[in-house]
Amino acid sequence: MGEGQLGDGQISVRLREMLEYIEEQVRRGDAAGIDFSEVEEMLAAARVMIDTGELDDAAELLNTCIQKASQRSSEFDRLMMGIRKAEKSIKEAHDSGRDVVQACTHLRLAREHLERGEYIMGMESAKLASEAAMKKAHAEIAWGSGLSETSVE
């Protein structure tokens, strides 16, 4: 073993420390409502790899866990922001007298996607909810009404 190189025992200790750190981050995310089930399965596999001496594979899998956990956390945060934006848009639309049925349907779908851990699909539904809430009804002249305006979607 050359200078600056770590032995298997030292690498194993460092990998276990990394594993424990990632597990703690996942526990915190779980407590916040983030679905890390896939990452948790990968962490369990990494623990087995460390225990059986497959250190290179364990290191690679732990790096993948870090990337996946970061991605899931970011997707969750973006979805939560999208839901809050949609809720605000729907409230403003409702308060101004606009129809919000379609927007509420999209918002409900966004929340369902959130519960199932489908964050990308949830972001799309939240975006559609905001767009539907912000859609302005256009004025149209009603035939035979003496030029009175009616609101039409």
Side-chain angles (χ1 to χ4, degrees), residues 6-16 50 55-56 59:
L6 299 174
D8 282 353
Q10 292 170 308
I11 293 171
S12 177
V13 168
R14 291 209 177 160
L15 289 174
R16 285 183 194 286
I50 294 169
L55 302 181
D56 289 339

Side-chain angles (χ1 to χ4, degrees), residues 72 79 112-123:
R72 292 294 288 169
L79 174 52
E112 288 175 8
H113 288 302
L114 172 66
E115 289 174 17
R116 290 192 299 261
E118 300 167 346
Y119 302 151
I120 301 292
M121 293 174 69
M123 284 185 269

Side-chain angles (χ1 to χ4, degrees), residues 70-125:
S70 176
Q71 177 184 354
R72 292 294 288 169
S73 181
S74 176
E75 290 170 355
F76 175 84
D77 289 343
R78 290 194 328 256
L79 174 52
M80 293 305 294
M81 285 189 296
I83 287 173
R84 284 191 291 274
K85 178 182 176 186
E87 289 170 341
K88 182 180 178 194
S89 297
I90 289 170
K91 181 182 181 333
E92 290 172 1
H94 181 267
D95 290 350
S96 71
R98 292 197 306 269
D99 179 20
V100 294
V101 172
Q102 184 180 21
C104 287
T105 299
H106 288 298
L107 179 59
R108 182 183 48 78
L109 289 173
R111 288 180 177 144
E112 288 175 8
H113 288 302
L114 172 66
E115 289 174 17
R116 290 192 299 261
E118 300 167 346
Y119 302 151
I120 301 292
M121 293 174 69
M123 284 185 269
E124 184 62 26
S125 293

Side-chain angles (χ1 to χ4, degrees), residues 125-138:
S125 293
K127 178 183 171 192
L128 290 171
S130 290
E131 290 172 355
M134 291 186 289
K135 185 169 56 173
K136 304 230 186 287
H138 60 278

